[in-house]
Amino acid sequence: MVAVDTIVDEIEALKQNRRAMILAHHYQEAEIQEIADSIGDSLELARVAQRFEGDVIAFCGVKFMAETAKVVNPTRVVVLPDLNAGCSLVDSCPAPAVHAYKKRNPDHVVVSYINTSVEVKAESDILCTSRNAVAVVNSIPASRHVLFLPDVNLGNWVKKQTGRENMTIWQGACIVHATFPGRRLAAARSEHPQAVVAAHPECPGDVLRQADFIGSTSAIIDWCAKQPQDEFIIMTESGVRYSLEKQSPGKKFYFVANENCNCSECPYMKMNTLEKLRDCLQTLQPRIELPPEIIERARIPLDRMLALK
Ligand code: 13P
Ligand code: SF4
């Protein structure tokens, strides 16, 4: 087996030769985050990808995130260490089903979570992430009916935050967050009575009701750093531990296992490895290739979202 240091050196050399940038989502393995040029939530990474002026974006995240990078910056080569790094939310929402819904309801405004395929993005009026979903829905005139897709928990939370009645919510779910049980969180709270709770809005309602803070991965990390408390129960994927401990040295973070894998890891995010990252920088494969017509159509709702502050 090749030593980690050797692979890291190889990646650094390839990065220079390829004029490449490595982006990593907070759910990546710590050793990948260590070597990344930028770490962030899905919105932050989309913005960094949009501004990139080099040649190659190596996207350490899942496929919909790499596709987003390609849409916002189509002349760059975008590689993903493992093309099978998917997302259960993407799988829950096929583009033909969205197309058929639009035919039946031509007056509805389609708000799509960024966790969708590029084909679904192309069917959408505006996109959102967990960071800006409330602001995006609030930007739509109250008289318009909204179809929010595909995450049911995020949709229910946004509906509550915005007080919006005329909103249809798709019934998709994240295999990691949607299977965090409220009773396991309640048990963790009894075990750590000093701890405060931060949760991602993809968690079910009985988890969100117990949370002191609800936000995107980066928002959770920033919030924990600002709090006076020293102990936190974190209801999201455990990869965030890397930035939590960096930004909040000395504080304690507890994770709750879900009922899907009895862990708090996203199996798709964890498909990427340092070896696969090195290989994709070497071969520029697997590469995100999208038809120009799809890029053009998906770009419109993406730009609408990025234009919002
Ligand atoms: P963020 O937008 O908070 O990074 O979340 C993306 C995601 O896939 C959560 O499961
Ligand atoms: Fe998709 Fe859930 Fe994994 Fe996020 S954690 S990438 S929503 S499966």
Side-chain angles (χ1 to χ4, degrees):
M1 220 174 87
V2 186
V4 167
D5 284 356
T6 310
I7 301 175
V8 168
D9 289 347
E10 287 171 342
I11 291 172
E12 292 291 1
L14 282 162
K15 210 170 81 172
Q16 299 303 322
N17 291 344
R18 293 288 192 199
R19 295 197 346 116
M21 167 176 74
I22 299 172
L23 297 184
H25 187 265
H26 289 296
Y27 297 165
Q28 293 295 286
E29 298 284 8
E31 56 194 21
I32 291 181
Q33 296 195 47
E34 201 74 60
I35 202 172
D37 296 296
S38 196
I39 307 168
D41 65 19
S42 53
L43 181 62
E44 292 167 329
L45 294 175
R47 289 194 192 278
V48 177
Q50 188 180 33
R51 291 193 299 267
F52 180 59
E53 291 180 349
D55 295 334
V56 177
I57 298 172
F59 207 115
C60 299
V62 290
K63 192 175 169 205
F64 77 78
M65 296 178 177
E67 286 178 343
T68 302
K70 184 72 185 171
V71 171
V72 292
N73 205 342
T75 56
R76 315 295 158 203
V77 170
V78 178
V79 288
L80 177 67
D82 191 321
L83 206 54
N84 293 317
C87 172
S88 62
L89 283 168
V90 173
D91 297 342
S92 74
C93 190
V98 178
H99 189 75
Y101 178 98
K102 281 175 62 180
K103 277 210 137 170
R104 291 194 306 275
N105 303 281
D107 55 324
H108 290 192
V109 180
V110 180
V111 178
S112 296
Y113 192 28
I114 201 162
N115 297 41
T116 44
S117 68
V118 70
E119 291 80 10
V120 168
K121 288 181 175 72
E123 294 282 351
S124 307
D125 292 299
I126 188 163
L127 301 185
C128 71
T129 74
S130 56
R131 185 180 266 260
N132 61 15
V134 170
V136 166
V137 170
N138 276 334
S139 75
I140 296 160
S143 57
R144 302 291 305 276
H145 191 104
V146 167
L147 167 66
F148 187 94
L149 61 83
D151 190 86
V152 63
N153 293 322
L154 176 65
N156 286 334
W157 178 69
V158 169
K159 190 169 181 180
K160 210 166 146 193
Q161 297 299 304
T162 58
R164 201 170 185 112
E165 289 300 324
N166 49 355
M167 186 164 151
T168 301
I169 302 170
W170 205 267
Q171 297 296 300
C174 160
I175 48 168
V176 183
H177 294 86
T179 55
F180 283 133
R183 60 183 163 69
R184 285 195 182 175
L185 171 56
R189 289 172 68 213
S190 309
E191 200 182 330
H192 307 289
Q194 310 299 330
V196 285
V197 180
H200 196 279
E202 290 173 12
C203 293
D206 62 342
V207 166
L208 297 182
R209 276 190 289 280
Q210 298 180 62
D212 299 289
F213 177 76
I214 298 167
S216 74
T217 48
S218 289
I220 288 173
I221 292 160
D222 294 344
W223 182 81
C224 291
K226 287 192 193 117
Q227 299 317 298
Q229 287 88 351
D230 289 325
E231 293 183 52
F232 299 83
I233 299 171
I234 306 295
M235 302 305 292
T236 190
E237 215 267 4
S238 54
V240 296
R241 183 184 284 285
Y242 176 83
S243 291
L244 282 169
E245 290 182 346
K246 267 217 154 141
Q247 289 194 30
S248 302
K251 293 189 179 183
K252 283 194 179 139
F253 300 100
Y254 309 111
F255 287 81
V256 172
N258 65 32
E259 276 179 331
N260 184 40
C261 60
N262 218 18
C263 69
S264 44
E265 292 195 346
C266 171
Y268 301 111
M269 286 280 183
K270 283 352 192 211
M271 284 179 178
N272 296 323
T273 62
L274 272 185
E275 284 88 345
K276 290 180 194 173
L277 171 57
R278 177 205 51 204
D279 294 349
C280 77
L281 281 167
Q282 214 153 44
T283 61
L284 297 185
Q285 295 291 343
R287 192 183 299 201
I288 302 294
E289 311 264 23
L290 301 171
E293 175 257 344
I294 283 284
I295 292 183
E296 223 171 277
R297 287 174 54 211
R299 179 92 197 227
I300 297 166
L302 201 38
D303 280 348
R304 282 188 188 131
M305 173 188 81
L306 292 172
L308 289 180
K309 286 286 152 223

